[in-house]
Amino acid sequence: DAKTTQPTSMDCAEGRAANLPCNHSTISGNEYVYWYRQIHSQGPQYIIHGLKNNETNEMASLIITEDRKSSTLILPHATLRDTAVYYCIGDNYNQGGKLIFGQGTELSVKP
Amino acid sequence: GAVVSQHPSRVICKSGTSVKIECRSLDFQATTMFWYRQFPKQSLMLMATSNEGSKATYEQGVEKDKFLINHASLTLSTLTVTSAHPEDSSFYICSARGFGQEHSPLHFGNGTRLTVT
């Protein structure tokens, strides 16, 4: 499974864009990159995923570098409710689809 | 959207007793479900993969006789913590992906907070 590296914590001002980086230099060609977040004492919430192309949905945008060794999750207008731990994970469907969580980035959105 | 429901959300039990946690996929069928455990200030740790109609696959270091998993139907998996001890106190979370939906996102339950006294 692809190991991912994320900063331990980040701050963001409310209303500004939050850009969360992730390095996944060992990702294989058919391995998707998934982003989840976990708000305190809740189960993880799916945000977005991608393989090669940039992706956008109602929650966020995902920018994947051409060499697929890193990606950035963008929350365009962060709110206080976006304060959470954000996890970047490589898909491991070839081994049964299990997701192995790293330590994630603790994002604090401040007023 | 797809929903995974866990029950109970919180449980307190005495040391030595067993506790059963249920995980249901509400609007889709899941041949595979995953069980995670999370200690305070730590990330989620995968415990086991629950396979419908067959034995669960446990991650290294997880005792299969202590954490019994049953996946009797396409919408229900249960985790039983047997002879619970205070060190088993943790946040247990299940997840599932729809049958045949490779590369679709995993859906997570809201977790079960287990406290063993």
Side-chain angles (χ1 to χ4, degrees):
Chain A
D1 54 318
K3 293 191 184 300
T4 60
T5 306
Q6 300 177 253
T8 303
S9 63
M10 292 181 63
D11 289 343
C12 178
E14 187 179 18
R16 304 298 293 267
N19 298 291
L20 292 92
C22 178
N23 286 320
H24 33 77
S25 57
T26 61
I27 200 168
S28 64
N30 61 353
E31 207 158 354
Y32 283 69
V33 177
Y34 284 80
W35 283 83
Y36 288 81
R37 71 180 182 185
Q38 186 180 27
I39 296 169
H40 184 62
S41 294
Q42 296 182 24
Q45 176 190 22
Y46 164 77
I47 302 173
I48 199 167
H49 72 289
L51 182 62
K52 297 179 186 177
N53 300 321
N54 297 337
E55 302 287 346
T56 295
N57 62 20
E58 65 277 5
M59 290 185 69
S61 294
L62 175 61
I63 308 297
I64 304 174
T65 58
E66 196 168 337
D67 61 9
R68 301 189 69 242
K69 292 185 183 302
S70 66
S71 61
T72 301
L73 178 74
I74 301 172
L75 307 178
H77 305 287
T79 70
L80 299 179
R81 286 181 293 182
D82 291 323
T83 293
V85 179
Y86 287 77
Y87 296 99
C88 164
I89 308 168
D91 177 280
N92 203 11
Y93 198 79
N94 289 335
Q95 294 188 27
K98 57 186 178 183
L99 295 184
I100 306 299
F101 284 75
Q103 292 305 307
T105 296
E106 187 167 6
L107 175 69
S108 296
V109 181
K110 299 181 184 300
Chain B
V3 177
V4 173
S5 174
Q6 264 185 261
H7 179 79
S9 57
R10 289 178 179 271
V11 58
I12 300 172
C13 72
K14 293 187 176 181
S15 188
T17 61
S18 295
V19 173
K20 181 186 285 188
I21 302 169
E22 291 187 349
C23 178
R24 294 182 185 273
S25 56
L26 295 186
D27 55 358
F28 65 98
Q29 294 181 330
T31 54
T32 304
M33 293 185 177
F34 303 93
W35 286 95
Y36 292 83
R37 179 169 55 177
Q38 186 176 33
F39 292 107
K41 305 269 185 207
Q42 295 186 21
S43 184
L44 284 78
M45 185 193 79
L46 179 67
M47 299 176 67
T49 302
S50 171
N51 303 299
E52 189 267 337
S54 65
K55 292 183 179 180
T57 305
Y58 291 82
E59 295 297 306
Q60 192 172 7
V62 178
E63 299 176 58
K64 63 178 182 179
D65 294 329
K66 180 164 185 63
F67 299 100
L68 300 179
I69 291 173
N70 184 279
H71 194 153
S73 78
L74 287 172
T75 59
L76 174 64
S77 175
T78 60
L79 169 68
T80 301
V81 182
T82 63
S83 187
H85 291 284
E87 57 264 32
D88 298 323
S89 298
S90 190
F91 192 49
Y92 292 86
I93 308 168
C94 72
S95 67
R97 179 183 280 122
F99 174 67
Q101 296 178 13
E102 295 85 355
H103 301 303
S104 66
L106 274 181
H107 304 285
F108 286 82
N110 260 335
T112 297
R113 177 79 55 194
L114 170 63
T115 303
V116 184
T117 61

